Amino acid sequence: MLCVVIGMGGVWATKALRAPQSGFLPARVLLVQQIRERAAEGDALRASNAERSAEIERLRDAELSGAGADLLAQVRGLGVASGHVAVSGPGIVVTLEDSPAAQRGVVGAEDERVTDVDLQVLVNSLWASGAEAIAINGQRLGSTTAVRTAGEAVLVNLEPVVSPYVVEVVGDPDELQTRLARTPASTHLGVLRGTYSIGAEVREADDLQLEALPQLTPQLAEPVESDVGGAVSPPSQDVPPSGDSTAVDDRGRPAEEEVR
């Protein structure tokens, strides 16, 4: 009889522990609702910012379309380089994807995931190969962009991106592929395929559409004067990319320099 009572008590306790707690359920529902509301507000604000940015560009173009044509061309060129002007045109698409084992969550396949270092090496080599504009999973790369790992997530512009990582590159397709084959990224991608079973595919694209980064207004930026007078010139476009010194064997370590 005692065994029956103990058994029934255990069943009752198990059901009680697994039963939904009335006090927690409304809190979870409220949290989910708040997350959805904040996400909707964020989407609305981003759309509003995009409209304002487009209006600013139209007003600027109209103001500089006459006597300021040369200045307008310079502004557009700087906008493309900084990522604050939308770009379209032909180019290439490089896709990196976690290995099948890593996608299934197989124990021991953690090294078979694409890391921020892999993306940094690739992007830096693409810049060195003549890329005009680059985006990772729709996130445009600009002068203030960082590609880094936070926990188990890869962040681009502080936004999480996941595998497959689609790197869209605007530029001359033939020149990009030829020059990319001579960079450290070519060897790096080969090792990712052969050693880590990570998918790495390069293909041409006839018409890529890369959106602009949100407009940011520097609050503390000031021109720096050189010793001989005048503003310091911007760095040369031929500066070696920071990813050139990254060894494939050290792909699990954070790079010393983040991609710009």
Side-chain angles (χ1 to χ4, degrees):
M1 182 66 179
L2 180 60
C3 293
V4 173
V5 173
I6 293 175
M8 293 180 62
V11 171
W12 177 85
T14 302
K15 290 183 177 181
L17 289 172
R18 295 182 58 86
Q21 300 297 315
S22 58
F24 293 105
L25 186 58
R28 182 181 183 280
V29 172
L30 179 60
L31 180 60
V32 171
Q33 181 180 355
Q34 290 178 344
I35 292 173
R36 290 174 177 172
E37 291 175 354
R38 298 299 183 272
E41 291 177 4
D43 292 340
L45 290 173
R46 279 190 289 270
S48 178
N49 288 340
E51 292 177 0
R52 297 296 181 272
S53 297
E55 183 179 359
I56 292 172
E57 289 184 12
R58 287 195 298 268
L59 293 173
R60 182 199 64 200
D61 293 352
E63 186 69 21
L64 299 177
S65 59
D70 293 340
L71 179 59
L72 179 59
Q74 182 180 3
V75 169
R76 287 176 174 171
L78 293 173
V80 170
S82 65
H84 292 103
V85 171
V87 176
S88 63
I92 63 174
V93 177
V94 184
T95 303
L96 299 183
E97 187 172 15
D98 297 342
S99 74
Q103 294 180 46
R104 295 194 304 270
V106 175
V107 177
E110 290 78 11
D111 288 343
E112 298 179 7
R113 296 187 181 278
V114 179
T115 68
D116 57 341
V117 174
D118 301 327
L119 292 172
Q120 289 172 12
V121 172
L122 173 61
V123 168
N124 284 333
S125 292
L126 286 169
W127 286 128
S129 299
E132 299 175 16
I134 303 176
I136 300 177
N137 285 18
Q139 288 292 326
R140 179 73 177 276
L141 304 191
S143 55
T144 59
T145 295
V147 179
R148 62 178 62 171
T149 294
E152 297 183 358
V154 175
L155 304 182
V156 180
N157 295 324
L158 300 181
E159 293 290 337
V161 293
V162 297
S163 176
Y165 301 93
V166 180
V167 183
E168 298 173 297
V169 190
V170 172
D172 182 87
D174 295 333
E175 181 179 357
L176 283 171
Q177 293 184 85
T178 299
R179 297 181 64 177
L180 182 63
R182 302 169 182 168
T183 66
S186 178
T187 303
H188 196 92
L189 294 179
V191 174
L192 293 184
R193 294 189 191 99
T195 304
Y196 298 99
S197 301
I198 290 175
E201 178 190 27
V202 181
R203 63 176 178 85
E204 293 187 12
D206 296 330
D207 186 21
L208 296 173
Q209 305 287 334
L210 273 58
E211 297 183 1
L213 283 168
Q215 293 287 346
L216 299 177
T217 303
Q219 300 295 330
L220 303 176
E222 296 180 0
V224 178
E225 301 295 328
S226 67
D227 295 337
V228 296
V232 176
S233 300
S236 169
Q237 295 297 324
D238 296 328
V239 173
S242 62
D244 283 358
S245 61
T246 304
V248 178
D249 292 340
D250 297 331
R251 61 184 292 269
R253 300 186 309 172
E256 294 181 359
E257 297 183 27
E258 294 172 355
V259 62
R260 64 178 182 83

